[in-house]
Every structure is written in structure tokens, then in C-alpha cells.
């Protein structure tokens, strides 16, 4: 049964010209929370092979833009409104930082980043938390007031602490598990809306 389930989304992605089945997770999140709109500036962290960036590009249209980055390169051909850079957000290069500053503020920061798994749930959760924290820090630096943030995290004991920290910066913080996620997967998505902080000085504007 699970093989048929996985094959369904794999086949659907190929038929619709997306490089990975993960696009349907973002589509579900967007359908539920209405995060992507025409003309937006979007930052996509952990973008390879590019399904999320392609979908975001469709939604923001020609007047929007998507800055995508990943440790890995991708052969995906993107439309003109997508700029892909091979980068490490933990140690961003000068060119990437300059690009971030030039294209900011972003209306949506989204992270589908996942760690290399070890099979140890505690270790994998801790590594996932580190990625979420870095994505959140990046969002705080380069987002506009009222913007949104999405991040994938592996469920575990530090979830409550992570959510509590993020709630300091967003008016609404919810978790969401898309139907297109495999049932046995420990992944869940943190969906944050209405960024509350002034990114220039880190002080609350509320």
C-alpha cells in the first residue's frame, strides 16, 4: 500500500514536470494558509532539486521573484523570476549575502531543509532543529513586517521550545502535516504568519 502511495505522488510530479514529489506538500500548505501571491519576493532555503521554487514561481508570477539556495546543485531549468545559488546558509558567501540584502525584504521565507539522517531519532531531530533555527534566524534578518515563514522539522522533544521561540516573532504559529507526507515520516511543517518584528533593530513593533 505504501509503495502505491509513494508511486502516486512520484508519477504525478513527473507528469506535471516537477523534479520531486515534495511540491505537493507546499501546494497543500499554500491551499490551507494562502501564503503565496502574485508579485511576492520569496526566499527558498534547501531548494534543490527545485520543486518548491518552481511552484512559488508560478504563484508569484513574472512580477515576483524567488531566491533559491541549497548545498547541492540542481539541473532544473527555472523561469526568469527564479535565481538559484549553491550556498550554505550556515556559512553564506559574500555574493549570497549581497543578493539577500539586495532582494530583501522577503514576503515569504520557506525551508524544506532536512539533515542527513542517521537513523537515530534523537540525533536526527537535533540536526533538524538546528536547520529550523538557522532558517528562522535568516527569516528574521531579511523579512518584512507582516511576512510569513514555513519550515520543515522532524518531530521530537525540542518541538515545544522551538515553537515558543518562533512565537515571539510571528502572530500565528501552527503545525501542519500534509496528506502528501508519508504516514511514517516524522516530518511536520511549522507555518508562521504575520511577522511582528522590525528587522532593522530587532525590536517589537506591536
Amino acid at each position: 500500500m505504501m509503495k502505491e502511495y509513494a508511486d502516486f505522488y512520484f508519477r504525478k510530479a513527473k507528469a506535471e514536470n516537477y523534479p520531486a514529489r515534495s511540491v505537493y506538500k507546499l501546494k497543500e500548505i499554500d491551499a490551507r494558509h494562502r501564503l503565496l501571491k502574485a508579485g511576492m519576493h520569496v526566499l527558498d532555503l534547501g531548494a534543490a532539486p527545485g520543486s518548491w521554487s518552481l511552484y512559488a514561481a508560478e504563484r508569484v508570477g513574472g512580477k515576483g521573484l524567488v531566491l533559491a539556495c541549497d548545498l547541492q546543485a540542481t539541473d532544473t531549468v527555472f523561469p526568469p523570476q527564479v535565481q538559484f545559488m549553491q550556498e550554505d546558509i550556515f556559512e553564506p558567501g559574500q555574493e549570497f549575502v549581497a543578493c539577500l540584502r539586495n532582494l530583501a525584504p522577503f514576503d515569504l521565507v520557506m525551508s524544506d531543509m532536512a539533515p542527513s539522517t542517521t537513523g537515530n531519532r534523537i540525533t536526527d531531530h537535533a540536526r533538524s532543529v538546528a536547520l529550523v533555527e538557522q532558517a528562522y534566524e535568516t527569516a528574521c534578518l531579511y523579512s518584512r513586517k507582516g511576512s510569513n515563514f514555513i519550515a520543515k522539522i522532524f518531530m521530537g522533544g525540542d518541538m515545544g521550545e522551538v515553537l515558543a521561540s518562533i512565537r515571539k516573532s510571528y502572530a500565528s504559529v501552527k503545525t501542519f502535516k500534509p496528506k502528501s507526507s508519508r504516514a511514517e515520516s516524522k516530518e511536520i511543517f511549522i507555518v508562521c504568519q504575520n511577522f511582528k518584528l522590525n528587522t532593522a533593530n530587532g525590536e517589537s513593533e506591536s
Side-chain angles (χ1 to χ4, degrees):
M1 184 64 181
M2 287 306 302
K3 186 175 187 299
E4 292 177 0
Y5 174 82
D7 286 348
F8 169 77
Y9 286 106
F10 175 81
R11 291 195 303 269
K12 185 175 176 64
K14 294 302 180 184
E16 296 182 354
N17 296 315
Y18 292 110
R21 67 194 300 283
S22 59
V23 66
Y24 302 108
K25 301 171 189 177
L26 179 58
K27 284 191 174 188
E28 286 185 62
I29 295 169
D30 188 34
R32 173 69 66 87
H33 298 282
R34 302 177 184 272
L35 300 177
L36 285 158
K37 298 177 183 179
M40 278 186 164
H41 285 201
V42 177
L43 176 60
D44 185 8
L45 305 174
S51 288
W52 278 32
S53 295
L54 287 174
Y55 176 69
E58 294 170 17
R59 298 286 285 125
V60 304
K63 293 185 178 180
L65 63 87
V66 179
L67 176 60
C69 74
D70 199 289
L71 282 171
Q72 299 180 0
T74 178
D75 294 328
T76 299
V77 178
F78 295 107
Q81 65 266 41
V82 177
Q83 180 176 350
F84 180 89
M85 302 181 74
Q86 190 172 357
E87 283 287 344
D88 181 352
I89 67 163
F90 285 95
E91 296 181 2
Q94 291 183 352
E95 182 180 356
F96 182 55
V97 171
C99 193
L100 282 169
R101 291 173 177 169
N102 183 52
L103 299 179
F106 292 94
D107 301 288
L108 173 64
V109 175
M110 53 188 193
S111 170
D112 195 33
M113 294 189 294
S116 299
T117 55
T118 64
N120 182 300
R121 289 184 179 181
I122 295 175
T123 299
D124 293 343
H125 170 62
R127 291 181 177 181
S128 175
V129 166
L131 291 175
V132 171
E133 290 175 339
Q134 187 64 27
Y136 168 57
E137 181 179 327
T138 302
C140 287
L141 285 172
Y142 299 106
S143 294
R144 68 167 180 82
K145 185 182 178 184
S147 63
N148 303 318
F149 173 56
I150 312 168
K152 178 167 69 180
I153 190 170
F154 292 167
M155 291 182 286
D158 292 331
M159 276 283 296
E161 185 176 342
V162 172
L163 294 174
S165 178
I166 293 175
R167 284 193 176 102
K168 297 175 183 178
S169 302
Y170 291 87
S172 172
V173 177
K174 300 178 181 179
T175 57
F176 180 72
K177 187 175 178 67
K179 293 180 180 178
S180 49
S181 288
R182 294 183 175 89
E184 75 276 14
S185 173
K186 294 298 180 182
E187 72 178 14
I188 196 167
F189 290 86
I190 304 171
V191 182
C192 312
Q193 293 179 276
N194 195 5
F195 186 56
K196 298 186 294 184
L197 299 187
N198 181 341
T199 56
N201 57 27
E203 296 178 355
S204 175
E205 292 187 344
S206 57

